[in-house]
Amino acid sequence: MTRPSNSPRQMRLGLFVQPLGHHVSGWRLTQRLGSPTDIDWLISIAKKAEEGTFDMFFVGDALATNVHRLPSTMARLEPLTLLSAVAVNTRHIGLAATASTTFSDPFTLARSFSSLDHISRGRAAWNVVTSYSNDVARNFSKEDMPGHADRYAKATEFLQVTNKLWEGWQEGAVIANKDSGQYFVDDKINAIDHRGEHYQVQGPLNITRSPQGKPVIIEAGSSADGQKLAAQTAEVVFTASASLEKGQAFYRSQKQQVIEAGRHPDHLLILPGVMPIIGRTLEEAKETWRQLNLLVDIDNGIKQLSARFGLDMTQYPLDGPVPEIPAVEGNQSRVKLLTDLAERENLTLRELAAIAAGSRGHRVIVGTAQDIADDLQLWVEQEGADGFNIMPAIIPEQLDLFVELVIPELRKRGLFRESYQFSTLRENLGLPVV
């Protein structure tokens, strides 16, 4: 799977799924309004992404909600249940689900993701998160969230356990020999007998070896602890970078840590989130962006900032500067991205609230298919990314335009596949088979 030296780097693309669009106003501009809990609607989105040969259909999740959340995320289907339904209605696209190490059990989660990998015939991926909100803790009989370092220490051991469980079933463990009467090869199915600080797990897992060996591991933390864990265990990193310079700095740092962890840097793919606002003309794209921002509810944006920053932002003047934000325990990388953006762009609190509500700090590209392709190509060629997690502002219209206009432009430049080459997500991403 080595790329010829004279060919362009191949771009990896995930679709970050928000059933009502990623922009807070997106659902108000669509001509075909779906529902976050309508499985037929979600399957139609997955099929469109598969038509565009996206690598992954990625479903985010959180274990708490409130009335200030985006309509797409206030009420939603449980990701593994959702992706099991999507799996039997698609054939090629990878299926990535978010699940928390802080509020899950390693044996149960290893079994669930292995089940999804079997159901999809090798297309499962796990987006590993530690959770960060006290609202989540209070849904699990705890008053407060464990500290940042404690959550990552627990996540490290959690991943050790799930990997041991997946590896406990070796290739060739099932032989089903009717003549001898032997179905399993006993010495190829192993207990793990894990005894650690947080978990004591005997094993083996009660499901046969995953078609991929194990699901693809995705992580999204960009804090120091998040980068360290990703260097050791992740195969894909989702991140947010506001500029190419910032993206390149993160890319270099993360890849160097992968090398220091004794791994090949190509075995971890970095995919920043991007919100493309696509028009058939530049004027059309700018008008779509203008309409989206006209409909932003600033009060809701302030409430979102308050929740992210752990500080009541309503006490500060909207048209004044963004106040200094104290250190937070949760979601550190996203808080830093927003505060750095406010400082760099000299934003008022109102302007930052509009950005937080609209794109949640991810980069926005406004333009034609050629403009979007130019930007994505630059980032990949200049080593700011290995690809992107695409965040359509309006569903289905902006996803349709990406598939119908941007994908062909990327293919014309030799940057993206014409069709799926392999049967598993791991192979289609160019990751080593385990």
Side-chain angles (χ1 to χ4, degrees), residues 261-314:
R263 301 172 59 202
H264 195 289
D266 289 348
H267 294 170
L268 184 143
L269 304 172
I270 296 175
L271 308 185
V274 172
M275 182 185 289
I277 308 297
I278 309 156
R280 296 183 185 277
T281 65
L282 180 57
E283 291 70 25
E284 181 183 301
K286 288 180 176 178
E287 178 58 20
T288 298
W289 184 231
R290 187 186 71 83
Q291 289 182 24
L292 283 165
N293 290 327
L294 278 176
L295 296 171
V296 169
D297 179 347
I298 294 298
D299 288 343
N300 187 274
I302 291 293
K303 288 167 183 171
Q304 287 191 43
L305 281 182
S306 298
R308 284 195 183 277
F309 293 165
L311 182 67
D312 181 8
M313 306 301 286
T314 62

Side-chain angles (χ1 to χ4, degrees), residues 4 30-31 76 108 119-120 128 143 168 236 320 350 366 370 373 392-393:
T30 182
Q31 299 300 308
R76 47 189 167 184
T108 303
I119 292 167
S120 65
V128 180
E143 265 307 302
V236 177
R350 183 192 302 275
V366 181
Q370 290 75 22

Side-chain angles (χ1 to χ4, degrees), residues 65 385 410:
T65 193
L410 294 173

Side-chain angles (χ1 to χ4, degrees), residues 118-257:
H118 279 282
I119 292 167
S120 65
R121 293 180 171 83
R123 295 184 281 137
W126 171 22
N127 178 43
V128 180
V129 299
T130 63
S131 301
Y132 64 88
S133 166
N134 284 333
D135 287 340
V136 174
R138 290 163 193 157
N139 285 339
F140 289 85
S141 305
K142 300 182 185 299
E143 265 307 302
D144 299 304
M145 185 68 69
H148 184 85
D150 290 340
R151 294 200 312 277
Y152 274 93
K154 189 174 182 181
T156 299
E157 187 178 345
F158 195 113
L159 281 159
Q160 290 171 356
V161 176
T162 52
N163 278 312
K164 287 179 182 179
L165 287 166
W166 286 322
E167 292 163 1
W169 282 77
Q170 297 175 31
E171 200 75 51
V174 177
I175 58 171
N177 189 319
K178 290 184 178 181
D179 293 333
S180 68
Q182 184 180 13
Y183 192 87
F184 296 112
V185 179
D186 292 352
D187 61 5
K188 291 192 174 186
I189 306 167
N190 303 303
I192 66 170
D193 294 320
H194 178 89
R195 297 290 181 269
E197 180 180 352
H198 303 284
Y199 303 105
Q200 294 78 48
V201 181
Q202 176 182 287
L205 198 62
N206 58 344
I207 187 169
T208 56
R209 184 176 176 83
S210 164
Q212 297 185 100
K214 68 175 184 178
V216 172
I217 300 298
I218 304 168
E219 292 168 29
S222 298
S223 65
D225 286 332
Q227 282 194 263
K228 180 180 178 182
L229 182 64
Q232 296 167 345
T233 61
E235 296 167 292
V236 177
V237 165
F238 292 155
T239 185
S241 297
S243 67
L244 178 57
E245 181 182 22
K246 293 278 187 183
Q248 289 170 320
F250 177 83
Y251 189 95
R252 287 192 298 268
S253 171
Q254 185 68 83
K255 295 280 187 174
Q256 181 58 38
Q257 290 189 54

